[in-house]
Amino acid sequence: MEDAALGDRRGRGDPRERLLGRVVSCNGARATISAVAENGEVALAELWSVGRLISIGVGESRIVALVYSMTSPAEFWQSDADNVLHFEVELVGEIRNGPDHKPVFTAGISNYPYLGAIAHRIRAADLAAIYDSGRSDSVVIGKLTQDETMDASVHIPSLLNRHFAVVGTTGVGKSTAVALLLTKAIETTPDLRVLILDPHNEFAAAFPDTSIVIDTETLDLPFWLFRLDEFTEVLFRGRPGIPEEMDFLRELIPDAKRAFRGGQDNGLFRRATDRSSLTADTPVPYRMADLLALIDERIGRLEGRTDKPHLRSLKMRIMSAINDPRFHFMFSTNTINDTIVETMSHIFRIPGNGRPISCFQLAGIPSEVVNSVASVLCRMAFEIALWSDGGIRILVVCEEAHRYVPADPNLGFIPTRQAISRIAKEGRKYGVSLGVVTQRPGELDPTILSQCSTVFAMRLANDRDQEIIRSAIADSSSSTTSFLSSIGNREAIAFGEAVAVPMRMIFERIPERSLPKANGSTKSQDGEDAELDLRMIVQRMRNLPSNETVGLAGASAPEFLPQAGEPSVYAGSRLSQPGDNEHAGVRSAPTPAGAHHTEAARPTQSLLDGSRYRETQPSLGSPATDAAPARPTSGGSSLRAQLLKKPLSSLRK
């Protein structure tokens, strides 16, 4: 057998067999090995470099040890003489030959090395036995760093059932590693449904054939699916809510929900609904028109005059959100219908129809709403798994997880933190799993990371981040984390339930067409600037439809951008007015017929028209709206000029 008689062949044969060492100290968890590199042979010392596993013979068993430090007592290297080397190793486990003479690895150690025990390079068969999980449903995700001829495998059920985390600094290949793990997961578990919270819009390119993309153009997430705290996060744009206004919402939203049900159900159903005591958090549809009508009714009452300023402020917040074109996915025409089944089916891929992955692109969603949207999605994922009695397997992958569950309890959005924490703590009981991806584990809630039983730690340069990972790994393998600051790209240290022992491995390469990449990344092949259409960019910035004319005919790029002093755009009305640029000395392009009926006006029309409530505002296309705002000129008179000419005493009267 290989290396069987290494102790009798020192100084003869293959140089790789000549580097033997002896145990000179041992404290139970670690040991020191002394070896000699003859005639200054550097190649021999490379066999025992930091991060490699070695073998120590003890009777019928072989102790596996990890090299984590090496020194030379002479403190200098002799190129033409023998050099004494000292290796500090960490004892990992023990290998014994089974009944069929195959090596079997166990994490415990029954016989510790004695002084003078022989240490040598590990056998290939022993190395395979160490990383063999012994489970048939393991998949290969890469190669071992120590021996790239050997596969690195993970157990997918253990990876999913007890959550996992991928951590590493920017540019080391986290997204590629996540794409590889998800590809292996859906191949092994066909009934798995994956929801990716993608803040950089990069995972859609990694799954062109197995995913659907949900962005602001294709998303219909009704406002009535939001709980009260999630909805107020939208209304107050991330700022703390005003208690008086939140109390009014808590009281009036259930009435609006009863009004919606009462208009289309019979009396028996209405009585049953009343007995069910609808709350502001119940996912039942209602119309914004009814809510605004209830607010107007409160404002018109004679009593409660101290409440009227808060009611008016609340009404303006709601109208601002409805008229904001960025919130169209919440207040579109489809969101006033009871589409909860269709919405959940589309987002969570039930049924999957060959595309079990849903890439939820958050880059286009307003920053004030991202926390609320993430909270709604994570909460719905848990509730679907809960009420299906474990019939649906869902994996929620949170990219940049430290944004949603930061370590500081005073930061972040509390409902989002609660929703993700609930999945981490209770999700495995109901079939919903969590995948955490972050470049700053030190800024992530330690409770969330502690619930991830499998961790893939890629290169981390920050000391605080390394300490977090070091505290999560088992004490018997803590020296493994000493390499975190220097490992290469695509390389990781994997430890936890899904792997037999902590292993240093390198992820396999995936095809170029399946690499995660941002949708907007354009690279020039010939070194020249890629051709860009600035008008299209401005069109997207202004939330204009594809048929809307942007810019000026024949004008250069900077001329069609908003000029200083131009009037601001009123959300909900047309976005361009003929003649707006004439005051700046620039000729405007003709506006196509009907172009002022834009997407921005749709929320107001769909939610308010044809109901009991109608907002008082200039109608679209009216002369007051179509005319450009009047501006005083140097030779003309205006009301402001006339007031300035009057004496102050006359104004006081």
Side-chain angles (χ1 to χ4, degrees), residues 215-235:
D215 54 15
T216 53
E217 299 295 331
T218 59
L219 173 62
D220 281 324
L221 193 63
F223 60 89
W224 47 264
L225 276 179
F226 288 59
R227 298 181 61 174
L228 179 60
D229 46 8
E230 297 164 348
F231 185 61
T232 53
E233 175 79 1
V234 176
L235 293 184

Side-chain angles (χ1 to χ4, degrees), residues 60-344:
E60 297 295 329
S61 62
R62 297 175 295 280
I63 305 301
V64 179
L66 173 71
V67 179
Y68 68 89
S69 175
M70 54 184 181
T71 59
S72 174
E75 298 183 355
F76 60 89
W77 188 266
Q78 304 180 73
S79 58
D80 55 353
D82 294 348
N83 294 275
V84 178
L85 307 177
H86 285 177
F87 298 93
E88 301 293 335
V89 299
E90 189 173 61
L91 305 183
V92 177
E94 186 177 14
I95 294 179
R96 288 179 175 271
N97 292 332
D100 53 356
H101 300 288
K102 290 185 178 180
V104 178
F105 174 79
T106 57
I109 299 176
S110 58
N111 297 319
Y112 285 92
Y114 52 85
L115 294 181
I118 298 176
H120 51 82
R121 68 185 180 94
I122 195 168
R123 305 176 185 178
D126 289 353
L127 195 61
I130 293 172
Y131 295 111
D132 182 13
S133 62
R135 293 173 282 194
S136 58
D137 44 2
S138 297
V139 297
V140 177
I141 61 172
K143 299 293 183 179
L144 296 180
T145 301
Q146 179 165 345
D147 188 348
E148 294 189 358
T149 63
M150 302 189 62
D151 295 331
S153 303
V154 296
H155 187 235
I156 292 298
S158 299
L159 185 75
L160 298 178
N161 292 341
R162 295 180 178 272
H163 319 308
F164 69 93
V166 180
V167 301
T169 189
T170 302
V172 298
K174 292 193 308 298
S175 299
T176 305
V178 172
L180 176 63
L181 292 173
L182 295 183
T183 300
K184 300 292 184 179
I186 61 176
E187 291 175 355
T188 308
T189 314
D191 61 338
L192 181 66
R193 300 293 179 262
V194 182
L195 173 65
I196 305 176
L197 301 182
D198 186 5
H200 304 303
N201 297 1
E202 59 182 352
F203 281 101
F207 307 103
D209 303 322
T210 56
S211 70
I212 58 124
V213 179
I214 302 177
D215 54 15
T216 53
E217 299 295 331
T218 59
L219 173 62
D220 281 324
L221 193 63
F223 60 89
W224 47 264
L225 276 179
F226 288 59
R227 298 181 61 174
L228 179 60
D229 46 8
E230 297 164 348
F231 185 61
T232 53
E233 175 79 1
V234 176
L235 293 184
F236 291 91
R237 311 298 174 95
R239 296 186 297 271
I242 299 177
E244 292 81 2
E245 298 183 23
M246 296 180 65
D247 290 340
F248 284 125
L249 285 175
R250 187 177 293 106
E251 180 182 354
L252 296 178
I253 287 179
D255 293 338
K257 293 178 178 180
R258 295 187 185 95
F260 180 85
R261 285 294 183 91
Q264 57 185 2
D265 298 322
N266 56 32
L268 179 62
F269 187 85
R270 285 199 301 272
R271 288 194 296 273
T273 304
D274 292 339
R275 287 196 299 269
S276 66
S277 64
L278 290 174
T279 68
D281 295 335
T282 308
V284 174
Y286 65 95
R287 287 183 292 264
M288 273 293 156
D290 293 336
L291 179 60
L292 292 171
L294 291 170
I295 294 176
D296 279 345
E297 181 183 354
R298 286 292 185 92
I299 295 176
R301 292 180 182 179
L302 295 178
E303 69 276 5
R305 293 186 178 182
T306 57
D307 297 335
K308 292 184 179 181
H310 296 293
L311 289 167
R312 293 191 182 96
S313 176
L314 177 60
K315 176 183 174 181
M316 293 303 299
R317 294 183 194 278
I318 296 175
M319 290 301 303
S320 175
I322 294 175
N323 289 328
D324 195 329
R326 302 177 302 163
F327 299 164
H328 179 68
F329 68 93
M330 292 178 57
F331 301 103
S332 65
T333 305
N334 296 333
T335 58
I336 61 176
N337 301 318
D338 192 354
T339 58
I340 186 171
V341 175
E342 292 81 358
T343 299
M344 292 192 301

Side-chain angles (χ1 to χ4, degrees), residues 44-58:
L44 298 177
E46 291 179 356
L47 296 177
W48 284 17
S49 59
V50 171
R52 291 183 176 271
L53 293 177
I54 65 169
S55 180
I56 303 174
V58 181

